[in-house]
Amino acid sequence: MTRQPQAGPNGHRHDDHDHGHEHGHEHEHHSHAPTVTAGNERVVLIGFVLTFGFMIAEVIGGLLSGSLALIADAGHMLTDSVALALAWAGFRFGRRPSDRKRTFGYMRLEVLAGFINAVSLFALVAWIAWEAVGRFLDPHPILTGPMLAVAVVGLVVNIIVFLVLRQGDSEHVNIRGAMLHVLGDLLGSVAAIIAAIAIYLTGWTPIDPILSVLISLLILRSAWSLLKNSLQILIEGAPTGIDVAGMPQALTDAVPGVAGVDHVHVWSITSGRPAATMEVKLTPGADPRETLRAVKVALNDTYGIGHSTIEIDFGDKNRDCSLVTNRPGERKGHAH
């Protein structure tokens, strides 16, 4: 396959045949930046307005009633508001087109926002635990009437916000993170309702900080999941559910004309948008263009990878991947 010499990154021109490789990157009118829908932006903005508005009411209700459960839930709703604002900003900026300095656009901002959301949840759990210990050692009087009223209204608002967020794309790390925040708030409202009824019937105020700690443990579990998922994307880890180690053999078996696959890299530029690069060795007589097209179809259909850059290795040079640091005794050039 003849290709005209092209200018390399250092300004010199080169011919693919001189290197013994052919690149498969057939993306006519292709943008590296995944599409961000206006629907996600809209539902997150609605969720922010509802959450922030009720957060103010809950702070007032918590201070007037003396309930730590309400104050803790209000603190959670504050982090929710920040999380939703960051998510909205991520979607807003993420819709900007890619440019020469940011060839993948601004989509990674969504993942950064998700990471901040997770860190804020850890900080919230630490604050609630500190306050709960103090309240348990030194119980405060609680007005159950205002506490119950605010908690019931909070439960209704959280259900509405959760239903609104479900209309967005739940595969996005920020939509999923926002829904986790709201679920924590919803459970916080339920805990406040239970605490208000129990205090009214028995007068036992320690149930308020105890339930706050139990809710914090649920929040902690959600925070860890969100932190792990966002970090996996930030460190260019392989997306969950994609068997990178088995990909070379699977492609070799599934695509006619493929003799082997090496130097496989799979990552996500943002949530739900996996990408891959690899080298493909051809069987004798295989058509390079048709084989590359078949590999791309297999990657999309089998692994959901819609963006792939594939290089043909004609075997005239033996070179290792500069991105891999192998452990002693390992061979280079395999999937990683």
Side-chain angles (χ1 to χ4, degrees):
M1 179 175 178
T2 304
R3 299 183 65 186
Q4 295 298 320
Q6 298 178 0
N10 58 0
H12 297 290
R13 303 182 71 83
H14 64 274
D15 193 300
D16 284 334
H17 291 284
D18 294 335
H19 290 267
H21 292 78
E22 179 174 340
H23 295 276
H25 198 110
E26 300 173 0
H27 296 293
E28 296 182 1
H29 309 292
H30 173 81
S31 171
H32 289 242
T35 303
V36 179
T37 64
N40 285 336
E41 183 181 335
R42 182 174 61 255
V43 299
V44 168
L45 181 59
I46 294 173
F48 166 75
V49 172
L50 292 173
T51 302
F52 185 79
F54 183 74
M55 181 270 298
I56 296 175
E58 196 165 32
V59 169
I60 297 174
L63 292 175
L64 291 177
S65 65
S67 169
L68 177 61
L70 281 185
I71 296 176
D73 196 45
H76 193 188
M77 294 194 80
L78 175 60
T79 63
D80 285 355
S81 300
V82 174
L84 290 167
L86 287 171
W88 178 83
F91 286 129
R92 187 71 172 181
F93 286 106
R95 294 173 64 191
R96 292 183 177 182
S98 59
D99 53 42
R100 292 185 177 181
K101 290 185 178 180
R102 288 159 289 268
T103 56
F104 281 98
Y106 296 79
M107 290 298 295
R108 188 55 63 88
L109 287 176
E110 298 178 34
V111 184
L112 289 173
F115 177 78
I116 295 174
N117 294 353
V119 173
S120 68
L121 282 172
F122 278 103
L124 173 68
V125 168
W127 177 81
I128 293 175
W130 177 266
E131 286 293 321
V133 171
R135 291 293 184 93
F136 191 80
L137 296 176
D138 183 21
H140 288 59
I142 297 175
L143 302 177
T144 56
M147 178 183 178
L148 181 61
V150 173
V152 170
V153 175
L155 179 63
V156 174
V157 170
N158 285 317
I159 291 174
I160 294 174
V161 173
F162 184 80
L163 293 176
V164 169
L165 291 176
R166 284 192 62 184
Q167 298 177 18
D169 182 6
S170 60
E171 290 300 316
H172 273 285
V173 68
N174 276 347
I175 294 291
R176 186 167 63 251
M179 292 175 69
L180 288 174
H181 274 276
V182 174
L183 279 176
D185 275 336
L186 194 150
L187 293 173
S189 297
V190 172
I193 293 173
I194 294 173
I197 295 175
I199 293 171
Y200 176 77
L201 295 177
T202 67
W204 192 57
T205 58
I207 191 175
D208 183 57
I210 289 175
L211 287 176
S212 298
V213 171
L214 292 178
I215 293 301
S216 297
L217 294 178
L218 296 176
I219 296 173
L220 189 62
R221 181 181 178 182
S222 299
W224 173 248
S225 175
L226 182 58
L227 180 68
K228 184 173 61 175
N229 291 337
S230 58
L231 276 177
Q232 181 72 358
I233 296 176
L234 290 175
I235 65 173
E236 307 286 359
T240 303
I242 295 182
D243 180 15
V244 180
M247 184 180 293
Q249 188 61 49
L251 291 175
T252 302
D253 294 341
V255 181
V258 174
V261 179
D262 280 320
H263 301 304
V264 178
H265 295 274
V266 182
W267 73 100
S268 294
I269 187 61
T270 190
S271 181
R273 298 289 183 173
T277 62
M278 64 189 64
E279 288 186 1
V280 172
K281 296 179 182 178
L282 305 181
T283 58
D287 180 80
R289 182 179 293 275
E290 291 301 321
T291 303
L292 288 182
R293 185 175 291 111
V295 172
K296 287 178 176 291
V297 170
L299 287 171
N300 184 70
D301 293 346
T302 305
Y303 300 98
I305 299 174
H307 177 89
S308 57
T309 302
I310 304 170
E311 185 177 23
I312 293 182
D313 182 3
F314 291 100
D316 57 349
K317 283 189 178 182
N318 183 19
R319 60 190 181 86
D320 295 323
C321 179
S322 63
L323 296 179
V324 177
T325 301
N326 292 78
R327 294 189 296 271
E330 284 186 337
R331 291 179 56 197
K332 293 185 178 181
H334 289 273
H336 40 265

